Amino acid sequence: MGANLSRVHESNEDGPYPGLADIPENCIAGIFKHLSPIDICKLARLNRAFKGAASCDYVWEHKLPVCYQELLSELAISKPLSLSKKEIYALLCRPISLDNGTKEVWLDKATGGVCLSISARAMAITGIDDHRYWKWIPCDESRFHEVAYLQQLWWFEVDGTVKFQLPAGEYSLCFRVRLGKVSRKLGCRIYSFEQIHGWDVRPVRFSLSTSDGQQVVQECYLEKTGRIESNVPVSYARGNWTDIYVGEFRVKIENKLTEVKFSMTQIDCTHSKGGICLDSVSIIPSKLRKEAIKAF
Amino acid sequence: MASGSKVTLKSSDDEFFDVTEAVALECGAIKNMIEDIGISSPILLPHVSRKIRSKVIQYCKYHVESQKPGVSEDEIKSRDQEFVKVDQAMLFELILAANYVNNQKLLDLTCQIVADMIKGKTLEEIHNTFNIKNDFTPEEEEEIRHENQWAFE
C-alpha cells in the first residue's frame, strides 16, 4: 500500500508533512493519468520515482487508442510483445504507411488521437491519365513526395474513400491544395501563377459522407475576384498550401470499420479551371484542428 | 447486514469513530476488511491520523448522500472542488490516505489537482514549488532526455 506511509503517521500539525517526493509510484501514475504524454516524458527527468512511473505500462495503456494493436500490426516488428506500452506509443507517433504508400496514419503525440492522410494517388481523379490536363509533380512539401497538378480542365472531379477503425470521437476532414506551380532553380523556390484560372467563376463543391449516413456538403470559392484596380483574383491559396475544411463526422462505435467517402468537384462546363496542386485529404480529431486554429 | 449498521474505525492516535456501513464501504480496503472480519470489531487504520480520517470520512459521506435521487452531477463536482481547496500538506496527506484505504474516486480527484498544479510548469519550477530534489547524476539525466527525445521532435 505504499512505501512512505510512515510519513503520514508522523505528520500532524507539528511534524513534517508529505510532499510530491513522498508519494508512491502508483500515485504518480494516477497524476500522469491527467497529464499529456509530452508532459509525462518531460517529468521523467524530475526524480527517480517519476522516471519509474513514466515508464509504467499502466500509464501508457490509457494513452494508446483502442485500435493500437491493428496499427502495430502494420509495422513489421520482429518482437511486438517485448515492447513496452510507452515504446508502442512512441512508434505509433511516427507516420505508418498503408495501402502501398498511398495513405499514412499516425498518433498525435500530445493527445494520442488517430490522424489519417490520404494521398492524391489513392483518389479517383477524372482525366488523371491525360497529360493535357493532369501531371504528377515531385514535391518535397508533401508527405507523399508528389502532388497532382492540373493545368486546365472543364470537368474537375476528385473522389476518394478510406476505411479505417477509428476510435470514437469527432473528426474533421480537409482537402490540402495549393494554387500555382512551384519549381526549383538553384535551390530557390519559384512560384508561377500563370495557369491559375477559373476558381473565382463558380464555387467548388466539397462533400463527405460516412457509411452510417452522415453527410456534409459545402461550397466555396477558391478565389474571389478582388476589388483592387487590377481585378486580380485574391486568395490565400496562391502559393500556400491550404487545408480546406469540408466538415465533421462522428464515430460512435469503436470496434468497427468506419468508411468515409469524400469529393471535390467543379463540373460546370461553361468555364475551364486549372493551376491547382492537389496533395491529399486529412482526417484528424476535431479537437486537434480547433486547437491548431486557436494557436494560429 | 442492514444498510444502517455502524462500523467503528480506529485511527493511528487510538481514537474510535463510528460511521455508517455505506460510508465505510466507499473505501475498497475497508470493504475488504469488513468482508474478512465483519463489523463487530473496530477496523484498524494505523496509518491514518484522526485529522485525515475525518477529512476522508467527510468525502465518503457526501458521496454516499449524492447517490440519492435529486443530487446532480454538477453539485457533486462543485462539492469536490470545495473539498480540495486545501494546502499542499493536506493535499498530499489525502493522496496517501486515499491510496491506503483504496478510495479510487478520492485518489483520482486529488491526483487531478496535483496534475493541474504541475501543468505548464518547467522542471525547475516544479522542483521549487514542491520542494522535490533531482536525484539524478548529469549523465543519467542526459540519458533520460535522450530516451524521451521522440516526444519533443
Side-chain angles (χ1 to χ4, degrees):
Chain A
M1 285 202 217
N4 293 303
L5 291 161
S6 52
R7 289 289 292 266
V8 180
H9 181 72
E10 285 159 19
S11 80
N12 49 38
E13 287 81 357
D14 305 320
Y17 57 81
L20 194 58
D22 304 300
I23 60 172
E25 215 175 83
N26 70 306
C27 293
I28 300 176
I31 295 173
F32 281 166
K33 217 171 102 180
H34 302 285
L35 292 173
S36 80
I38 296 179
D39 280 335
I40 296 170
C41 289
K42 177 179 92 181
L43 290 165
R45 284 196 286 132
L46 194 68
N47 70 4
R48 285 180 201 280
F50 270 74
K51 177 182 184 258
S55 305
C56 273
D57 270 359
Y58 166 73
V59 167
W60 292 94
E61 227 149 38
H62 286 103
K63 307 297 182 195
L64 286 165
V66 281
C67 60
Y68 81 89
Q69 303 273 23
E70 281 77 14
L71 290 175
L72 200 54
S73 65
E74 292 288 342
L75 297 168
I77 311 248
S78 50
K79 284 186 193 150
L81 294 175
S82 68
L83 292 172
S84 70
K85 297 283 187 291
K86 184 182 181 187
E87 284 166 332
I88 293 175
Y89 190 93
L91 269 176
L92 299 182
C93 286
R94 292 198 201 112
I96 299 165
S97 186
L98 303 171
D99 295 350
N100 291 320
T102 61
K103 298 186 178 99
E104 278 190 354
V105 64
W106 66 96
L107 297 189
D108 171 65
K109 249 175 247 176
T111 60
V114 175
C115 304
L116 283 169
S117 184
I118 301 104
S119 72
R121 278 277 181 194
M123 302 183 210
I125 303 175
T126 308
I128 190 70
D129 295 322
D130 193 327
H131 293 293
R132 292 173 294 170
Y133 309 135
W134 287 94
K135 264 200 289 225
W136 290 104
I137 301 184
C139 180
D140 55 9
E141 292 163 289
S142 163
R143 57 173 66 242
F144 301 104
H145 310 296
E146 64 174 358
V147 296
Y149 176 73
L150 171 68
Q151 277 150 185
Q152 64 101 39
L153 188 59
W154 280 264
W155 189 284
F156 178 89
E157 182 172 356
V158 176
D159 295 288
T161 184
V162 67
K163 245 193 226 174
F164 200 80
Q165 200 175 313
L166 288 168
E170 291 188 356
Y171 294 85
S172 293
L173 189 147
C174 294
F175 270 85
R176 190 167 189 256
V177 301
R178 179 176 61 191
L179 291 176
K181 211 163 49 160
V182 172
S183 53
R184 275 192 182 278
K185 265 202 177 100
L186 305 169
C188 297
R189 280 210 191 108
I190 314 256
Y191 293 92
S192 76
F193 299 147
E194 301 95 45
Q195 290 180 327
I196 302 175
H197 67 283
W199 302 109
D200 54 341
V201 179
R202 290 270 201 280
V204 174
R205 189 173 189 269
F206 295 89
S207 80
L208 78 87
S209 64
T210 64
S211 39
D212 64 354
Q214 297 174 70
Q215 196 171 17
V216 177
V217 177
Q218 71 122 327
E219 292 193 337
C220 73
Y221 287 89
L222 296 191
E223 292 209 297
K224 276 193 145 70
T225 310
R227 280 180 248 118
I228 318 166
E229 304 81 50
S230 59
N231 219 28
V232 172
V234 169
S235 80
Y236 179 74
R238 280 197 176 220
N240 298 302
W241 285 109
T242 310
D243 287 302
I244 301 181
Y245 175 64
V246 176
E248 261 186 350
F249 63 92
R250 174 175 287 190
V251 173
K252 290 179 206 137
I253 304 170
E254 283 202 308
N255 292 327
K256 229 183 145 195
L257 280 178
T258 300
E259 185 179 11
V260 186
K261 291 198 164 107
F262 45 87
S263 74
M264 178 179 170
T265 56
Q266 198 346 292
I267 56 172
D268 176 81
C269 287
T270 62
H271 73 286
S272 82
K273 59 272 329 177
I276 190 170
C277 283
L278 172 66
D279 173 35
S280 56
V281 156
S282 68
I283 294 177
I284 66 172
S286 291
K287 265 187 267 187
L288 282 184
R289 181 176 169 267
K290 287 171 188 157
E291 267 156 41
I293 293 172
K294 253 194 257 171
F296 185 75
Chain B
M1 293 185 207
S3 58
S5 302
K6 288 259 176 273
V7 174
T8 305
L9 306 174
K10 184 178 172 210
S11 57
S12 63
D13 37 16
D14 285 341
E15 233 204 41
F16 293 89
F17 196 83
D18 281 352
V19 294
T20 63
E21 200 185 331
V23 167
L25 292 177
E26 285 281 299
C27 300
I30 300 177
K31 181 168 181 261
N32 290 340
M33 285 192 250
I34 291 175
E35 278 167 7
D36 287 343
I37 64 171
I39 59 169
S40 48
S41 318
I43 304 282
L44 306 175
L45 300 172
H47 294 287
V48 183
S49 72
R50 168 184 48 172
K51 184 175 161 203
I52 302 305
R53 182 206 58 205
S54 79
K55 216 35 196 151
V56 172
I57 286 171
Q58 181 196 344
Y59 178 87
C60 295
K61 265 191 179 151
Y62 76 77
H63 270 261
V64 165
E65 277 163 25
S66 73
Q67 283 158 29
K68 297 191 182 124
V71 180
S72 70
E73 273 228 34
D74 283 340
E75 269 174 67
I76 305 170
K77 281 202 176 122
S78 161
R79 284 196 80 162
D80 280 347
Q81 290 311 306
E82 278 308 303
F83 182 81
V84 286
K85 282 186 180 157
V86 294
D87 60 22
Q88 236 191 73
M90 175 62 83
L91 185 60
F92 288 107
E93 297 222 34
L94 283 172
I95 289 182
L96 290 174
N99 185 42
Y100 175 65
V101 300
N102 193 7
N103 186 322
Q104 280 306 308
K105 280 189 289 200
L106 179 57
L107 186 58
D108 201 51
L109 173 66
T110 45
C111 284
Q112 166 87 74
I113 300 299
V114 177
D116 291 342
M117 288 163 82
I118 287 178
K119 260 180 225 175
K121 287 193 165 71
T122 62
L123 285 178
E124 198 182 323
E125 284 165 344
I126 297 170
H127 282 301
N128 293 332
T129 306
F130 297 98
N131 196 23
I132 189 170
K133 290 205 182 73
N134 178 345
D135 51 4
F136 294 119
T137 64
E139 292 80 22
E140 282 171 330
E141 202 178 330
E142 188 47 43
E143 202 190 316
I144 300 166
R145 190 197 292 266
H146 182 74
E147 260 170 37
N148 290 287
Q149 196 46 40
W150 62 269
F152 307 104
E153 273 155 11

